[in-house]
């Protein structure tokens, strides 16, 4: 009987987390390109061996995550560990918070997709277009250019696994790319105690911690909150607000979603005041809107308003869900600014405009 010893199995692949050693550089258009062929973007398929491709990609992504973090920390953002007050050597989940979070009258909260790295919108846009446009860098800079310079909080629903060996939070994708005993060994098992962080074990719990702990403790008591929910982060944040509207009525000014789907009006549920805020026809608030995956031009109103919970607009992206946010964030920020500037703002049913509540004066329509 023959037996194959582990020592005879192929060693796991290793790539340095250094762009130059990987054969890439960042050009003056903020694009990642090959040193040998400056017109070629990052190439995932360097081998027929899937494990080699995955490990090369993770080394590349590690470099880009460091680049994004360095630039954001230089743009008035801080890394804040959760639970609050946790030393960074202990298990924690990092989020980004702006330096003015304790003083600003307004706060923009972004809840993204559960498979994305902190600060990343779409890796494919980072690879093809630019690092700034595919990450939150351009979004943060645009938001900070507003005349009020609102505070910013970037939640982290993706990196919810604590990698003890590296002392850092990682996504499921990174977990699958962690070093293994051999190139054919299975991934490390997830210990639901040691590899999780208290109060932030899964996306819904993380969203709850953001709203129950972070915002009340880090922001002004009278702060006005604008919320963005992207992808599977959208139902998480909407579900939390629906269940806890008595705490947030009067604090949350507006909600914008980026999603490839929308739930039926009856599924929004919750108390009457939340449904009124969300967009029940005839209500006095109607301060939510959704940007739906669609090939129609950006901001075009989409049919089906009476069947869904809020006004729906085209995201100008008909193929890939993760590409919605880079294309719609300017429209979302404009919507938030409009709600903040116009007392008594409410969405008109199915129209790209607004009207004032009856006690606020005349009705006006503005096209986008």
């Amino acid at each position: 009987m023959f037996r194959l010893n582990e020592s005879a199995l192929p060693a796991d692949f290793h790539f340095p987390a250094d762009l130059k050693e990987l054969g890439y550089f960042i050009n003056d258009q903020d694009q990642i390109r090959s040193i040998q062929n400056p017109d070629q973007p990052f190439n995932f398929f360097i081998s027929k061996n899937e494990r080699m491709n995955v490990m090369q990609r993770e080394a590349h992504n590690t470099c880009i995550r460091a680049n994004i973090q360095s630039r954001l920390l230089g743009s008035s953002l801080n890394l804040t560990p959760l639970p609050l007050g946790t030393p960074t050597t202990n298990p924690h989940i990092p989020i980004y918070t702006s330096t003015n979070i304790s003083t600003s009258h307004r706060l923009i909260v972004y809840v993204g997709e559960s498979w994305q790295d902190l600060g990343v919108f779409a890796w494919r846009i980072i690879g093809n277009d630019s690092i700034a446009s595919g990450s939150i860098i351009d979004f943060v800079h645009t938001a900070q250019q507003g005349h009020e310079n609102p505070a910013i909080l970037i939640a982290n629903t993706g990196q919810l696994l604590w990698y003890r060996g590296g002392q850092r939070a990682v996504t499921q994708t990174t977990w699958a790319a962690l070093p293994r005993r051999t190139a054919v060994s299975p991934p490390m098992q997830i210990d639901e105690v040691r590899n999780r962080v208290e109060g932030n074990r899964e996306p819904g719990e993380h969203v709850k911690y953001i709203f129950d702990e972070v915002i009340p403790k880090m922001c002004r008591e009278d702060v006005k909150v604008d919320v963005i929910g992207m992808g599977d982060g959208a139902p998480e944040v909407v579900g939390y607000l629906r269940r806890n509207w008595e705490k947030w009525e009067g604090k949350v000014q507006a909600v914008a979603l980026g999603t490839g789907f929308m739930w039926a009006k009856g599924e929004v549920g919750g108390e009457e005041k939340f449904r009124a805020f969300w967009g029940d026809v005839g209500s006095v608030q109607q301060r939510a809107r959704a940007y739906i995956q669609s090939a129609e031009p950006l901001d075009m109103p989409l049919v089906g308003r009476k069947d869904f919970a809020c006004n729906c607009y085209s995201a100008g992206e008909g193929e890939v869900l993760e590409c919605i946010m880079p294309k719609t964030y300017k429209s979302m920020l404009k919507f938030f600014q409009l709600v903040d500037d116009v007392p008594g703002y409410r969405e008109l049913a199915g129209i790209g405009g607004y009207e004032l509540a009856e006690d606020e004066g005349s009705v006006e329509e503005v096209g986008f």
Side-chain angles (χ1 to χ4, degrees), residues 12 25 88 140 247 251 260:
D12 199 11
F25 74 106
T88 55
V140 169
K247 298 179 183 178
K251 283 185 173 292

Side-chain angles (χ1 to χ4, degrees), residues 29-215:
Q29 273 102 34
D30 198 30
Q31 298 170 321
I32 306 156
R33 293 295 182 262
S34 168
I35 293 175
Q36 291 186 346
N37 182 2
D39 293 327
Q40 178 181 311
F42 172 73
N43 178 26
F44 173 77
F45 297 101
I46 61 171
S47 168
K48 293 182 179 180
N49 187 304
E50 181 72 8
R51 180 63 179 171
M52 178 182 286
N53 295 335
V54 166
M55 296 301 286
Q56 186 226 193
R57 179 184 62 188
E58 183 58 30
H60 163 275
N61 288 1
T62 298
C63 300
I64 304 309
R65 284 192 293 264
N67 178 280
I68 293 170
Q69 177 176 309
S70 175
R71 293 161 69 174
L72 290 173
L73 295 181
S75 301
S76 302
L77 262 64
N78 295 322
L79 276 174
T80 300
L82 304 184
L84 292 174
T86 303
T88 55
T89 52
N90 291 355
H92 68 278
I93 304 300
I95 62 172
Y96 282 118
T97 57
S98 58
T99 55
N100 64 338
I101 193 168
S102 64
T103 58
S104 179
H105 291 272
R106 285 183 59 204
L107 171 68
I108 297 174
V109 177
Y110 173 73
V111 180
E113 298 174 281
S114 62
W115 56 85
Q116 292 288 17
D117 285 288
L118 177 63
V120 172
F121 287 151
W123 279 109
R124 71 188 65 224
I125 291 182
I126 287 176
N128 292 324
D129 297 341
S130 72
I131 297 174
S133 62
S135 70
I136 67 170
I137 292 174
D138 279 350
F139 165 74
V140 169
H141 289 170
T142 302
Q144 290 175 334
Q145 291 172 1
H147 62 270
E148 285 191 350
N149 188 20
I152 297 171
L153 188 158
I154 307 297
N156 188 359
T157 55
Q159 296 175 333
L160 297 183
L161 290 172
W162 180 252
Y163 171 36
R164 298 167 64 206
Q167 292 289 287
R168 57 192 172 95
V170 300
T171 63
Q172 289 277 359
T173 301
T174 295
W175 185 271
L178 293 177
R180 302 180 187 178
R181 297 178 65 173
T182 73
V184 293
S185 297
M188 290 190 298
Q189 292 186 347
I190 297 173
D191 187 313
E192 293 298 334
V193 175
R194 295 182 177 182
N195 299 128
R196 298 290 183 181
V197 176
E198 184 69 26
N200 296 269
R201 295 180 184 87
E202 46 86 22
E205 198 172 62
H206 178 68
V207 170
K208 184 177 187 299
Y209 191 91
I210 292 289
F211 281 88
D212 286 357
E213 300 292 334
V214 178
I215 297 176

Side-chain angles (χ1 to χ4, degrees), residues 122 124 230 293 317-325 327:
R124 71 188 65 224
M230 177 63 214
Q293 187 171 328
E317 169 58 48
E319 297 182 359
V320 184
L321 180 65
E322 69 174 6
C323 295
I324 287 179
M325 192 62 193
K327 295 186 177 182

Side-chain angles (χ1 to χ4, degrees), residues 238 241-242 245 268-279:
V238 172
L241 292 175
R242 173 178 57 81
W245 191 242
V268 172
E271 62 173 70
E272 183 177 347
K273 290 183 178 179
F274 176 74
R275 295 198 305 270
F277 168 87
W278 191 252

Side-chain angles (χ1 to χ4, degrees), residues 328-342:
T328 61
Y329 73 83
K330 290 182 180 179
S331 296
M332 293 179 180
L333 292 176
K334 184 178 179 181
F335 168 54
F336 292 157
Q337 191 64 59
L338 186 63
V339 173
D340 189 63
D341 288 343
V342 180

